[in-house]
């Protein structure tokens, strides 16, 4: 089968299409004919060598989520059959014609959702549900500040928070402010020109946000903590900032009784990932059926243009998910 591989760490140019062996089917696995796969920032980090190995998890092939058709099932699999339409989180291997997925990390694609749309669901919305609802414990009418709200996960958090009845505030680039606001955010601030700390304090009547969901880190950390209401929670999902200015104002954490929670999906144990998928499937998946949630696809590239897809993500400023589509 064909897949995208790379021989050395580096920029997008190291990616190339090549023939590779089919993945081996294990007892709890399904094999999926890949129709589309989501592109995630972790793919870029792996390609650049930040994880120290070209292989991370199950496969040396990049890609953490797929949407496609089941072509084989392991002997211990009962909830999927050949021909089923599925979307799955995978331990690598999504940038290929066929991928291996753990059945516990797979869900039937609902209704009329296309494969390209389904490829924009799993990593974004499972992570969003985990950060916002399971860890962040958002409640009706609480206020949440979402950073990087135009990205795949950020836009999923905004949609989910609105569906949960929260007051939603967000940051995004100027070109995406109206798009994020269209998802239901009460106010969206340009992170280049506006001070989100001052804005959220003003918007909440000097109380601050009950919850902050952040993907940036770095210099945002202290500002996020100062932006929280008493008893507030900060859920740190990513580190886009990549700088050394991550300072915690401990006096604020102590006197306001705050909680700082970190989460990363990629390095979690398989049972933890299965539990995350179950929570999402039971509580959030039905919202796609009634229109409260929808996949947001930014740009679509054919598999053999994976390098261009990485360049697009590196350029930033996009809205929604970058997806690779099988040719």
């Amino acid at each position: 089968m064909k897949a995208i591989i790379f021989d050395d760490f580096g920029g997008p140019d190291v990616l190339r299409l090549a023939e590779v062996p089919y993945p081996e089917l294990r007892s709890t696995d399904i094999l999926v004919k890949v129709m589309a796969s989501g592109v995630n920032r972790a793919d870029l980090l792996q390609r650049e060598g930040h994880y120290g190995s070209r292989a991370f998890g199950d496969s040396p092939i990049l890609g953490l989520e797929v949407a496609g058709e089941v072509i084989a099932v392991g002997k211990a699999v009962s909830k999927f059959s050949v021909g089923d339409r599925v979307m799955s989180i995978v331990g690598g291997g999504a940038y290929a014609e066929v991928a291996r997925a753990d059945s516990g990390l797979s869900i039937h694609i609902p209704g009329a959702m296309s494969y390209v749309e389904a490829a924009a669901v799993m990593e974004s919305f499972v992570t969003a549900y985990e950060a916002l609802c399971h860890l962040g414990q958002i409640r009706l009418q609480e206020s949440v500040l979402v950073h990087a709200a135009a990205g795949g996960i950020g836009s999923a958090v905004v949609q989910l928070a609105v569906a949960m009845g929260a007051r939603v505030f967000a940051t995004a680039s100027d070109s995406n402010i109206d798009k994020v606001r269209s998802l239901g955010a009460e106010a969206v601030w340009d992170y280049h020109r506006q001070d989100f700390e001052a804005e959220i304090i003003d918007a909440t009547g000097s109380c601050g946000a009950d919850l902050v969901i952040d993907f940036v880190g770095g210099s945002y950390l202290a500002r996020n903590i100062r932006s929280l209401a008493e008893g507030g929670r900060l859920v740190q999902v990513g580190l886009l900032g990549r700088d050394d200015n991550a300072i915690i104002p401990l006096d604020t954490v102590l006197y306001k009784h705050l909680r700082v929670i970190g989460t990363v999906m990629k390095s979690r144990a398989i049972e933890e990932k299965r539990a995350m998928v179950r929570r999402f499937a039971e509580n959030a998946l039905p919202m796609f059926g009634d229109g409260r949630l929808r996949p947001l696809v930014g740009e679509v590239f054919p598999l053999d243009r994976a390098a261009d897809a990485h360049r697009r993500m590196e350029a930033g400023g996009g809205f929604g998910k970058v997806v690779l589509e099988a040719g």
Side-chain angles (χ1 to χ4, degrees):
M1 69 173 186
K2 288 183 169 56
I4 297 295
I5 66 170
F6 61 105
D7 301 311
D8 297 295
F9 299 130
D13 289 342
V14 302
L15 301 179
R16 63 184 180 89
L17 192 66
E19 288 287 337
V20 300
Y22 275 78
E24 180 182 349
L25 182 67
R26 301 168 301 197
S27 62
T28 61
D29 289 335
I30 56 176
L31 288 187
V32 180
K33 179 182 179 183
V34 179
M35 302 298 186
S37 54
V39 178
N40 293 279
R41 194 156 297 277
D43 303 341
L44 278 61
L45 296 176
Q46 185 174 341
R47 187 205 72 219
E48 293 170 348
H50 289 271
Y51 300 130
S53 171
R54 281 180 290 137
F56 190 103
D58 281 351
S59 173
I61 298 170
L62 293 174
L64 300 175
E65 59 186 328
V66 300
E69 180 182 318
V70 177
I71 58 174
V73 298
K75 61 183 180 181
V77 175
S78 58
K79 66 176 184 178
F80 296 105
S81 302
V82 172
D84 285 354
R85 295 186 342 124
V86 297
M87 48 189 184
S88 309
I89 292 171
V90 296
Y95 290 19
E97 292 180 323
V98 174
R100 177 176 65 191
D102 182 87
S103 59
L105 302 182
S106 303
I107 298 174
H108 290 95
I109 297 175
M113 186 183 292
S114 71
Y115 286 118
V116 167
E117 290 173 325
V121 169
M122 291 298 282
E123 279 282 335
S124 293
F125 283 92
V126 171
T127 302
Y129 186 86
E130 188 73 5
L132 182 77
C133 300
H134 184 65
L135 298 175
Q137 298 179 343
I138 192 67
R139 300 176 183 90
L140 184 68
Q141 288 302 308
E142 283 194 324
S143 57
V144 56
L145 171 61
V146 184
H147 292 298
I153 302 175
S155 59
V157 173
V158 171
Q159 288 191 65
L160 190 56
V162 170
M164 299 298 291
R167 296 182 65 195
V168 183
F169 304 94
T171 63
S173 63
D174 180 66
S175 61
N176 286 318
I177 285 177
D178 288 341
K179 295 174 184 176
V180 175
R181 191 180 289 119
S182 73
L183 300 178
E186 188 172 322
V188 185
W189 301 303
D190 179 359
Y191 63 85
H192 288 297
R193 297 187 302 105
Q194 293 171 281
D195 178 2
F196 70 78
E197 182 184 342
E199 297 288 356
I200 192 65
I201 295 298
D202 182 62
T204 56
S206 299
C207 293
D210 298 296
L211 176 63
V212 174
I213 306 292
D214 183 39
F215 308 90
V216 181
S219 61
Y220 272 36
L221 179 58
R223 297 164 67 193
N224 283 333
I225 288 173
R226 292 194 299 265
S227 297
L228 286 170
E230 185 168 348
R233 295 88 67 197
L234 165 63
V235 179
Q236 192 71 45
V237 184
L239 294 172
L240 295 177
R242 295 197 199 176
D243 60 39
D244 296 324
N245 297 316
I247 299 171
I248 295 180
L250 284 176
D251 55 343
T252 304
V253 173
L254 296 177
Y255 292 124
K256 294 179 73 173
H257 312 289
L258 306 179
R259 282 179 284 167
V260 179
I261 306 162
T263 181
V264 174
M265 183 189 292
K266 190 177 176 73
S267 59
R268 284 179 181 254
I270 186 69
E271 285 300 334
E272 293 177 315
K273 291 181 181 179
R274 288 170 178 163
M276 291 172 65
V277 170
R278 283 196 301 270
R279 287 191 286 268
F280 163 76
E282 292 169 1
N283 299 294
L285 188 63
M287 297 183 192
F288 287 94
D290 62 23
R292 284 179 289 171
L293 299 180
R294 59 188 176 92
L296 290 178
V297 178
E299 294 187 49
V300 181
F301 295 83
L303 179 63
D304 60 4
R305 289 183 57 201
D308 289 334
H310 278 215
R311 291 187 190 98
R312 179 65 192 92
M313 180 165 280
E314 288 178 339
F319 181 69
K321 192 86 171 191
V322 175
V323 173
L324 296 175
E325 187 173 21

